[in-house]
Amino acid sequence: GAGVSQSPSNKVTEKGKDVELRCDPISGHTALYWYRQSLGQGLEFLIYFQGNSAPDKSGLPSDRFSAERTGGSVSTLTIQRTQQEDSAVYLCASSPRRVAGEETQYFGPGTRLLVL
Amino acid sequence: KQEVTQIPAALSVPEGENLVLNCSFTDSAIYNLQWFRQDPGKGLTSLLLIQSSQREQTSGRLNASLDKSSGRSTLYIAASQPGDSATYLCAVPPSGGSNYKLTFGKGTLLTVNP
């Protein structure tokens, strides 16, 4: 079956421009996560969506970052006025449900963002 | 704040060797621990998830153990193959609620030489 897909796979942009990154979770998965993986850093949690509940945005590094999830499926991560330190791999994951102790997350291939 | 450390940062072994990767975490009140592998330019693939009530999980040539009291987990790979070459990451949720906010170690880069 289809896994988590992300687009674009690579994105090069100029400092100050806005970018949109897209994530298509596995069909039927109600939970969706965004992470960032910077060179030399571990993965950082950014944001979490679960069904129709308000998202947990506590990991977003600044107000230039925002995300939405339409219809409980596709999600878009938007970075406004990009800075060079935003260069990273942005990973999306989904899981079938939120059950304590059963949180296997299925990851997409990531979007590699380079801000010049 | 939960912190996860993985040792070694890199490991190179000949094909066929058995090996152990280590993961330690500072807050032992966790719901579970997951091991992932990441291939170059790819996303993460979940290998094993150990719930807090379990001490180990096995999948094929992989065996992961969890010792919550000491804040440690090991991933044992038997009879390693070149196809096992990848970065291996462990991840734990924070103690208490919000068990989806995984904290990752920086990974162990494994190279299995033919």
Side-chain angles (χ1 to χ4, degrees):
Chain A
V4 177
S5 61
Q6 293 186 245
S7 61
S9 54
N10 293 281
K11 177 71 176 179
V12 181
T13 191
E14 295 178 349
K15 178 180 173 181
K17 302 274 186 158
D18 298 351
V19 295
E20 285 190 352
L21 312 180
R22 177 187 168 108
C23 172
D24 284 86
I26 293 172
S27 178
H29 281 194
T30 59
L32 186 147
Y33 319 76
W34 283 98
Y35 293 87
R36 178 169 72 173
Q37 187 174 32
S38 305
L39 189 64
Q41 303 287 329
L43 278 91
E44 306 172 73
F45 166 84
L46 296 178
I47 189 169
Y48 165 74
F49 296 90
Q50 170 60 26
N52 296 320
S53 302
D56 181 344
K57 305 178 182 180
S58 59
L60 296 178
S62 78
D63 58 8
R64 296 185 295 104
F65 288 72
S66 63
E68 62 178 24
R69 188 178 184 192
T70 53
S73 181
V74 171
S75 177
T76 302
L77 177 68
T78 301
I79 309 174
Q80 295 179 311
R81 304 181 302 282
T82 52
Q83 303 293 314
Q84 289 181 331
E85 59 263 29
D86 299 335
S87 298
V89 177
Y90 289 82
L91 290 161
C92 174
S94 70
S95 63
R97 59 184 176 173
R98 184 184 170 197
V99 177
E102 297 181 10
E103 281 293 320
T104 300
Q105 296 181 21
Y106 299 86
F107 282 76
T111 293
R112 281 148 197 81
L113 175 65
L114 176 61
V115 182
L116 302 176
Chain B
K1 178 185 173 183
Q2 180 74 272
E3 292 183 3
V4 179
T5 303
Q6 291 189 245
I7 295 173
L11 180 64
S12 181
V13 300
E15 182 177 3
E17 194 161 296
N18 302 324
L19 59 99
V20 174
L21 308 180
N22 297 291
C23 172
S24 61
F25 45 95
T26 53
D27 188 338
S28 61
I30 58 172
Y31 276 116
N32 58 52
L33 181 144
Q34 278 189 254
W35 283 94
F36 295 86
R37 70 174 277 168
Q38 185 174 29
D39 294 279
K42 303 279 182 68
L44 278 68
T45 301
S46 180
L47 297 173
L48 291 163
L49 182 150
I50 311 176
Q51 299 182 23
S52 59
S53 58
Q54 299 175 318
R55 291 194 63 84
E56 65 178 73
Q57 278 278 13
T58 298
S59 176
R61 294 181 294 106
L62 305 180
N63 177 278
S65 68
L66 175 63
D67 184 342
K68 279 184 58 177
S69 60
S70 67
R72 293 181 183 179
S73 176
T74 61
L75 179 66
Y76 175 83
I77 303 178
S80 58
Q81 302 173 357
D84 295 331
S85 298
T87 297
Y88 290 81
L89 298 156
C90 68
V92 294
S95 58
S98 304
N99 63 329
Y100 49 83
K101 289 186 187 178
L102 297 181
T103 298
F104 286 82
K106 293 187 178 181
T108 293
L109 176 60
L110 173 65
T111 303
V112 181
N113 301 300

